[in-house]
Amino acid sequence: MQIGLFAWLKRNSSPLRTPALVAVGVLACLGIGVPAASAEQDIVQQEVTFDSHGVTLHGTVFVPRADAAVPKRPGIVLVHGAGPGPRAKYAPEAEVFARAGIVTLAFDKRTDGYSLAHRDFDLLADDVLAGVATLRNRADVDPTQVGLWALSEGGWVAPLAAAAAPDLAFLVTIGASGFEPLRTQTWNLGNQLRHQGISEPLRDVIAGPGAQHMADTGLFPEAWHDPVPVLERLRLPVLALWGEHDTLCPPAESAAVFQQALARAGNQHVTIRFVPGAGHTGHVTTDGFDKVGGLIFNGKPLGALGPVYTETMTSWIQSVVAGRAPVSNAEAVPAQSDTSRAPSSGAWYEAAAVRYAALAVMLIGFAGYPLSAWVGRTGRNPVRWPARGLAAAGLVAVVATLSYLLSIFATSGEGATALVAGRTLPWLMLQISAVGVLLATAATAISWWRARDQVVGALRVRLCVLVLAGLVFIPWALEWQLLR
């Protein structure tokens, strides 16, 4: 409740009331503001710690102002999105829930066991359940009315926690994906690159062979986590929200997955909603890429919380804890910018064994040719120059392509800029190098044929492996869109 000093003086008797009122009026006329009690004073923030798997986690409990008529309140634990998860980032949501009478826990995500290259959703779910226990042990919280709110990556973690603790009261998700993290990320990267003017070939590579390479090498943690079997175990009331401008997670497809999986679970209290004018986090955006207003975090706005988003969540939770959980219903699905795709179509040449065999042949052929020449002299070589060109161009093309795709995944495509015909400068150079490999393969083969009488012994073996690498490079480059 907000009470200004002027209003307080009018409502309270005091010998000093009249002089004080005069002073307030004079200050107002002079343009000197008298501070009013802020909305935040309706909320008490209490620091807490709790342990999970040997790690002490730090959090803040946002508590509504005490009300003798409501000795125990519902509680909610906020589950982080991907990346570092400082609790301050979730303060806007925490304050909204607290003002709605819900005791809210926001905590710092663990750093031990969580990084760009490693994460464990089951471990994160256990952290969430430790937070739930912390709320349930409070005297002002009804332990039977504690639920979860989850953003983005939390949409994979929170269902795991809910499946492990079926006595949770409710689950709210915003921007949750119905697909594996790898498929979701390639859809996200495709949108980011399209927004930056990048052409289709590079986007196709990221969604296909690039994604497969990231998963096979273990560089994309939890790549194949399937949320569907977990959703099929949930019977608690679920409110699943997506921003209508979500560009990080396929909203229309994910909503369908959630609806169908939860229906198979026999869940009769699933509400599907799309937040107008909101992006992935539910905050205000114009197109899904910008963030309008709101808290400044790390020098960037988080986007304001829109009234539709906050009212939808708080009113739904209040209905659930009052014993009036809405029966399953879903809004019409809005148009989605593009359809997500699985990293692999199941074709034989996409099998990991085939792809790694091809990669091994190319690396051995392109790198082995100069190494073998350095280790032992083989005498006169009439194919020296085209062969050297092939080895150099091939090695650069393969290693640089894999490195460039890795950098795009690591940076989420930030900084990629179209230079020519929707191609980034690195991608354009990779395509030029691929053409160079084709020309060098042809030149090496022709030179070898012309001087075949002089190519004998170890030199013949070296050239066989090198040309084989060049021939294998052709279908590999076609799959990686380097010749498109």
Side-chain angles (χ1 to χ4, degrees), residues 253-383:
E253 292 177 272
S254 294
V257 171
F258 265 63
Q259 188 173 14
Q260 294 164 12
L262 291 167
R264 289 193 295 271
N267 195 324
Q268 299 179 1
H269 301 288
V270 179
T271 300
I272 305 289
R273 291 287 182 271
F274 296 91
V275 184
H280 178 63
T281 62
H283 294 218
V284 175
T285 181
T286 61
D287 59 2
F289 298 98
D290 63 359
K291 296 176 181 178
V292 181
L295 178 71
I296 302 298
F297 187 80
N298 287 341
K300 297 179 180 179
L302 294 179
L305 289 172
V308 174
Y309 174 47
T310 57
E311 172 62 22
T312 299
M313 292 191 296
T314 55
S315 62
W316 182 87
I317 293 174
Q318 288 164 345
S319 295
V320 170
V321 299
R324 303 189 305 273
V327 296
S328 293
N329 63 95
E331 283 186 342
V333 178
Q336 185 177 294
S337 61
D338 193 13
T339 302
S340 69
R341 54 173 278 192
S344 174
S345 65
W348 66 269
Y349 54 83
E350 292 181 341
V354 175
R355 289 185 289 105
Y356 278 104
L359 186 60
V361 169
M362 290 187 293
L363 292 178
I364 291 172
F366 296 140
Y369 182 82
L371 286 175
S372 62
W374 180 74
V375 171
R377 298 295 178 181
T378 57
R380 184 173 181 275
N381 182 358
V383 196

Side-chain angles (χ1 to χ4, degrees), residues 356-374 384 386-396 398-399 437 441 444 458-473:
Y356 278 104
L359 186 60
V361 169
M362 290 187 293
L363 292 178
I364 291 172
F366 296 140
Y369 182 82
L371 286 175
S372 62
W374 180 74
R384 176 181 295 113
R388 286 180 177 178
L390 172 56
L395 190 60
V396 168
V398 173
V399 173
V437 173
T441 300
T444 301
L459 177 58
R460 178 180 296 174
V461 174
R462 292 171 59 214
L463 287 174
C464 279
V465 176
L466 177 61
V467 172
L468 176 61
L471 294 175
V472 170
F473 178 85

